[in-house]
Amino acid sequence: MQEKILIVDFGSQYTQLIARRIRESEVYCEIVPFNKIPTLTPDIKGVILSGSPASVRDESAPDIDIEKLTDQVPLLGVCYGAQLLAQKFGGKVEKSDKREYGRAHLDIQDYGTKLFEGVPDHSQIWMSHGDSITSVGDRFDIIAKSDSIPVAAFKARDKAFANTVYAIQFHPEVYHSTDGHKILNNFLFGVCGLAHKWTPASFVAETVAGLKEQIGEEHVLLGLSGGVDSSVAALLLQKAVGNNLLCIFVDNGLLRKNEFEGVLEQYKGMGLNVVGVRAGDKFLSELAGITDPEQKRKIIGRVFIEVFEAEANKHPEVKWLAQGTIYPDVIESVSVKGPSMTIKSHHNVGGLPDRLKLKLVEPLRLLFKDEVRRAGKELGLHPDILHRHPFPGPGLAVRILGDITPEKVRILQDADDIFIGNLKKYELYDKVWQAGVILTPIKAVGVMGDERTYENVVALRAVNSTDGMTADWSHLPYEFLAKTSNEIINQVRGINRVVYDISSKPPATIEWE
């Protein structure tokens, strides 16, 4: 049984970051909303209470039965979690005179505590709270303050609870807390007694064993996209069920230039049982005249289901549908704040499980994106797929602003091929998180030779990010941009002007639609 840490989510923007830091230490953890805490099982070795945008002083503030948890395992309260501990057990939390946000320095009062073992005094920490703990009550002792607040950390007195309880008023999970990872590790290994066991190799072995038990000798159907998530899911399933896995790769006519043929060849080279379905004409026909971005997505989703369903019906032996759902999708679906109001409709293959009467299996539902890549490397996934940039589910449809025509697809594919090819040629591809070309609905005057032209404007887009939630535009060399612009204008019929998008997310988004 895999030992783990349970993170109780009170809605903090940093909750997923706590989980990522813990997993970087090769410890498995799961996030659960405060109102859906499961019964603690023997594999749970500790609990962390996250921060929250709420105030513990509000009547409707999130609340839990903390002693029910501490009766069984050690506990660490972070920010809101610390304030909740103080308020529930005789301490006092008051509104700060000013919002405490940003860098501060830790003034350690108790060097004997395990939580601060190896942490130097005056270590930089990161604050983000509007309330302050002014007293901790009779069951706790203050073990650190800071240059801005009197209570930066506290610990339960001996026998105050059945297990060890720590609380910190700062965020150890963020980069700006220079010894934050050490503090988290002290809780994981020094307090909870965990071991470094959560590795790509252990994940692959455990997942394959679990899939074998879950699926047995039955057949599985998986829709491949050419991206890393569905590809890693395919390799895991292949290890578990072998030739009982059937993969379908649909060409919607909106892939990158020559991508259908290239990716199909890579999949076959990996030994996967893959059926390639060319359906570009059907997709483009249905999209004719459509300009609204969300309507484009819905049409593409519907047509994909129709194409996928038609292919699936040829294989009555199939009992399971596999999807490449990853952990951020799972967290979002049970989020404290509720599912996102505008989850883009291409993120999931909506409707398929019910319509096909298949059981659902999601081999990656416990992994973050970077962990999927590490698992893919462990499985020997082809490097071109392993390191491929994220690509929108609707493909080039959301990179063609306005209506979609075969000619516009041709123009964008050719321009995109030059841009991506040059990123690889000049060894910039792996330094960028995502890149592509946008075909705008703007035409501009140009001069080619002695002739005046009136042709399309395209925008190059390249960003750096870790998970797509935030992104900064990539500072590509001017010489590279000049060369790429020149090649696109000279080689792609229909383009006479190239611009570079220097917007970050937020306030912009990565894609234009």
Side-chain angles (χ1 to χ4, degrees):
M1 185 180 291
Q2 177 71 55
E3 295 181 342
K4 62 186 175 186
I5 291 288
L6 203 65
I7 302 171
V8 177
D9 180 22
F10 291 102
S12 169
Q13 60 178 325
Y14 296 129
T15 302
Q16 286 193 38
L17 192 52
I18 297 175
R20 292 173 75 108
R21 291 289 176 265
I22 290 172
R23 291 190 180 189
E24 284 170 8
S25 296
E26 298 180 345
V27 170
Y28 179 58
C29 63
E30 290 184 10
I31 297 171
V32 296
F34 75 93
N35 52 358
K36 295 181 181 178
I37 300 174
T39 301
L40 298 194
T41 49
D43 55 324
I44 297 172
K45 300 302 180 183
V47 171
I48 294 177
L49 307 182
S50 83
S52 174
S55 167
V56 296
R57 297 178 300 104
D58 295 341
E59 286 187 13
S60 59
D63 193 11
I64 59 171
D65 184 349
I66 291 177
E67 278 198 273
K68 187 176 179 181
L69 300 177
T70 59
D71 281 347
Q72 300 174 72
V73 293
L75 185 142
L76 172 65
V78 175
C79 200
Y80 179 91
Q83 294 172 355
L84 190 62
L85 276 162
Q87 179 162 290
K88 285 179 75 71
F89 299 108
K92 185 176 289 187
V93 179
E94 298 180 288
K95 186 174 179 60
S96 303
D97 293 335
K98 60 180 180 179
R99 180 172 166 80
E100 292 160 334
Y101 182 85
R103 293 175 179 83
H105 294 89
L106 198 62
D107 181 359
I108 298 174
Q109 308 291 297
D110 181 358
Y111 288 97
T113 180
K114 285 185 178 180
L115 195 67
F116 293 144
E117 192 172 304
V119 177
D121 196 20
H122 215 60
S123 175
Q124 179 178 287
I125 54 176
W126 185 261
M127 298 285 191
S128 179
H129 56 93
D131 293 337
S132 284
I133 301 166
T134 54
S135 68
V136 296
D138 296 335
R139 299 175 76 170
F140 298 105
D141 289 318
I142 297 171
I143 56 174
K145 59 182 182 178
S146 78
D147 42 19
S148 58
I149 56 174
V151 182
F154 55 95
K155 176 189 176 184
R157 293 177 177 174
D158 288 344
K159 299 181 180 178
F161 296 91
N163 282 281
T164 305
V165 177
Y166 283 102
I168 51 180
Q169 179 61 91
F170 55 91
H171 288 275
E173 68 275 16
V174 301
Y175 171 80
H176 304 292
S177 290
T178 51
D179 293 290
H181 206 168
K182 176 67 176 172
I183 291 169
L184 285 174
N185 282 350
N186 284 342
F187 178 71
L188 300 176
F189 307 120
V191 177
C192 299
L194 287 150
H196 299 268
K197 289 183 178 179
W198 176 250
T199 64
S202 69
F203 168 78
V204 169
E206 290 170 11
T207 301
V208 170
L211 290 170
K212 286 180 177 178
E213 184 176 343
Q214 183 181 11
I215 297 168
E217 299 297 319
E218 294 182 328
H219 290 248
V220 184
L221 186 68
L222 170 66
L224 288 171
S225 68
V228 66
D229 295 344
S230 64
S231 302
V232 173
L235 290 179
L236 286 167
L237 284 159
Q238 183 191 45
K239 275 185 166 290
V241 303
N243 289 332
N244 284 357
L245 171 66
L246 173 64
C247 301
I248 296 175
F249 183 35
V250 176
D251 178 10
N252 60 9
L254 298 160
L255 301 175
R256 286 185 154 130
K257 188 174 182 178
N258 301 323
E259 185 173 29
F260 181 69
E261 297 83 2
V263 171
L264 204 55
E265 201 59 38
Q266 289 171 348
Y267 280 141
K268 289 179 179 176
M270 291 154 51
L272 289 172
N273 180 20
V274 184
V275 173
V277 180
R278 287 193 178 277
D281 290 345
K282 181 174 176 60
F283 279 88
L284 293 179
S285 174
E286 295 275 356
L287 288 166
I290 304 300
T291 59
D292 179 72
E294 189 59 20
Q295 199 175 350
K296 289 180 187 177
R297 290 190 181 92
K298 287 178 179 176
I299 290 171
I300 290 168
R302 173 178 58 76
V303 177
F304 178 84
I305 288 174
E306 291 170 1
V307 172
F308 192 90
E309 189 174 24
E311 194 62 37
N313 287 335
K314 298 176 185 177
H315 303 277
E317 73 280 5
V318 169
K319 303 298 180 187
W320 292 84
L321 175 71
Q323 290 185 338
T325 309
I326 61 176
Y327 198 40
D329 301 323
V330 176
I331 296 168
E332 176 68 20
S333 69
V334 294
S335 169
V336 169
K337 295 168 283 189
S340 173
M341 293 296 291
T342 54
I343 296 175
K344 292 178 181 176
S345 52
H346 65 267
H347 281 193
N348 297 296
V349 187
L352 274 175
D354 289 341
R355 287 177 60 162
L356 293 179
K357 309 300 181 187
L358 299 177
K359 294 174 282 187
L360 185 63
V361 59
E362 299 169 310
L364 305 178
R365 69 188 319 274
L366 300 178
L367 296 190
F368 289 104
K369 189 75 171 187
D370 51 343
E371 294 171 329
V372 175
R373 292 191 192 279
R374 289 200 289 271
K377 185 176 181 181
E378 178 71 24
L379 287 160
L381 180 62
H382 193 290
D384 286 351
I385 297 178
L386 183 65
H387 300 295
R388 177 168 289 144
H389 290 172
F391 190 63
L396 300 181
V398 292
R399 293 182 179 176
I400 296 173
L401 307 190
D403 68 320
I404 299 168
T405 66
E407 174 64 6
K408 288 181 179 180
V409 173
R410 191 273 307 166
I411 291 172
L412 185 53
Q413 284 180 332
D414 287 348
D416 181 84
D417 191 52
I418 291 171
F419 184 33
I420 299 301
N422 278 351
L423 285 172
K424 292 178 178 178
K425 179 179 179 181
Y426 295 102
E427 298 182 349
L428 294 168
Y429 185 84
D430 290 336
K431 297 177 182 178
V432 170
W433 190 74
Q434 185 172 350
V437 180
I438 312 298
L439 180 61
T440 77
I442 302 167
K443 290 196 172 185
V445 173
V447 177
M448 292 186 178
D450 294 326
E451 294 184 2
R452 179 179 181 273
T453 62
Y454 190 60
E455 294 181 332
N456 296 284
V457 178
V458 296
L460 308 184
R461 180 70 160 147
V463 298
N464 292 331
S465 179
T466 55
D467 54 16
M469 298 300 292
T470 62
D472 192 17
W473 62 278
S474 300
H475 295 229
L476 297 176
Y478 293 145
E479 297 80 4
F480 169 83
L481 291 172
K483 181 173 180 60
T484 301
S485 171
N486 188 55
E487 288 183 12
I488 288 173
I489 291 170
N490 286 339
Q491 297 177 31
V492 183
R493 188 181 72 256
I495 296 173
N496 69 356
R497 192 177 296 264
V498 176
V499 299
Y500 188 52
D501 182 351
I502 60 169
S503 310
S504 294
K505 177 186 178 181
T509 53
I510 294 175
E511 299 293 342
W512 282 32
E513 286 194 342

